[in-house]
Amino acid sequence: MHDTKQQPIELTRPSLPDMTEYIEEIKDLWESRFLTNMGVKHRQFATALSEKLGARVALFTNGHLALEAVLAAFDLRGEVITTPFTFASTTHAIVRSGLEPVFCDVDPATGLLDPARIEALITNRTSAILPVHVYGQACDTDAIDSIARRYGLKVIYDAAHAFGVSVGDRPIGSFGDASVFSFHATKVFQTAEGGAVTGRDPILFDRLDLLKNFGITGPESVVCCGGNAKMNEFQAALGLCNLRHINDEIRLRELLVSRYHTWLFAVPGIRLLPIQPDVRSNYAYFPVFFHAGHEARDAVYLELRRQGINCRKYFYPLTSSFACYAGRFDLIQTPAAQALAGQVLCLPLYPDLPNADIDRICAVVREVRLTR
Ligand SMILES: *Cc1c(COP(=O)(O)O)cnc(C)c1O
């Protein structure tokens, strides 16, 4: 049993700048004692990001509160068409905002919202579409944005997985009415906790500024019932440092993903994500789909865990089947999402994951697959 003594392998591991680079970046804060409330670091980071993301940027303390702020800023009512094949945050943000999620099925090859199924779900109560760029792929933004225009709906992309992704020469944050990014420690680009909204409409950004800071416009003036979702100066400083290295990080991820591909593309019973021809991915996750279904998937999952290799079933269960929503949503409406949830396993991926670890992980996957 020599294998169980090997070092554990994490699913993700946040990249950090050299400690000296971060210390240099935060030194001024000891001078100014200005630690939050849209200080110098916040302003510098917002400017640098808006160049990177190709759109106006509002910074937040995390991605989830950014998503809730966008829903509030657009003053949405009624129903929001969305996907159940996502992280809890997407669906919770809709429900917590007093809106009703209407679950649309996904493309069985990619797990992305299937635009061909959106129109049948539109009613006179629909106010928005909220798709998710899962795994760092890009949704069919042309199709989705054009349906939304035809019916007068807002489109808010959950781009939590999609930092640095582009479609043709357009950065991913330039589509729809707004896109929401997460800079959580587990994401491709991180500020420990953090998030951002991109978009074009200046009125949206005025509202977001109010919503994230109690609706305060001056020392004696409060104009709306906002909450607190401000990014602080330490988060922004980490963002400034990490932004200098993000292109290298994504390049490293790409190399690791191609190594995974080489080992796994021809293994019977396994399917990998298709290549999206016009899309530059950020290689946020490496999902593997076991088309025999959950028994094969779970066997591999348990064996990897037994050997200290941390992998996760993103996304299982579907958000529509969470205990907190029991009896509320009809799971039969999204068979493709349901099938993917039973097949998927995300394997470890982060920029300094050693090649030898990938080889070891793939050997386990191949062995379990080939012997069962
Ligand atoms: C991480 C994530 C979020 C929430 O972001 P936080 O910054 O953790 O609040 C939202 N949607 C998806 C799809 C995510 O993966």
Side-chain angles (χ1 to χ4, degrees), residues 62-64 86-87 89-90 132 158 160-161 182-184 187 193-194 285:
N62 62 50
H64 180 80
T86 183
F87 182 58
S89 172
T90 320
V132 182
D158 182 335
H161 293 185
S182 164
F183 307 151
H184 184 261
K187 302 299 204 284
E193 295 267 6
Y285 296 87

Side-chain angles (χ1 to χ4, degrees), residues 46-73:
T47 304
L49 264 186
S50 105
E51 276 163 29
K52 172 84 190 164
L53 296 174
R56 261 183 90 143
V57 169
L59 297 175
F60 281 82
T61 195
N62 62 50
H64 180 80
L65 288 174
L67 199 48
E68 288 195 10
V70 172
L71 296 175

Side-chain angles (χ1 to χ4, degrees), residues 34-214:
F34 199 105
L35 307 186
T36 186
N37 283 34
M38 287 70 79
V40 177
K41 301 294 166 192
H42 187 286
R43 283 198 294 278
Q44 288 174 351
F45 183 41
T47 304
L49 264 186
S50 105
E51 276 163 29
K52 172 84 190 164
L53 296 174
R56 261 183 90 143
V57 169
L59 297 175
F60 281 82
T61 195
N62 62 50
H64 180 80
L65 288 174
L67 199 48
E68 288 195 10
V70 172
L71 296 175
F74 285 133
D75 197 19
L76 300 177
R77 304 288 154 91
E79 299 171 350
V80 176
I81 294 172
T82 188
T83 167
F85 193 69
T86 183
F87 182 58
S89 172
T90 320
T91 303
H92 286 352
I94 295 170
V95 174
R96 288 169 57 83
S97 304
L99 298 158
E100 224 173 295
V102 171
F103 292 106
C104 178
D105 210 0
V106 298
D107 179 330
T110 61
L112 297 163
L113 197 70
D114 183 353
R117 297 177 185 280
I118 292 175
E119 282 190 80
L121 299 172
I122 296 175
T123 71
N124 56 10
R125 301 190 61 232
T126 308
S127 59
I129 307 173
L130 207 173
V132 182
H133 299 301
V134 281
Y135 306 133
Q137 305 171 101
C139 290
D140 187 346
T141 46
D142 285 346
I144 293 169
D145 289 3
S146 94
I147 293 168
R149 264 195 307 277
R150 235 176 309 133
Y151 290 87
L153 308 174
K154 295 284 184 213
V155 183
I156 300 148
Y157 287 105
D158 182 335
H161 293 185
F163 189 91
V165 172
S166 50
V167 182
D169 52 10
R170 279 184 68 179
I172 199 77
S174 67
F175 295 97
D177 295 284
S179 299
V180 178
F181 294 86
S182 164
F183 307 151
H184 184 261
T186 55
K187 302 299 204 284
V188 167
F189 174 75
Q190 61 95 19
T191 59
E193 295 267 6
V197 177
T198 59
R200 284 177 310 272
D201 181 3
I203 295 166
L204 167 67
F205 286 89
D206 292 346
R207 292 203 182 131
L208 290 175
D209 286 347
L210 291 173
L211 286 164
K212 72 179 178 188
N213 191 27
F214 306 106

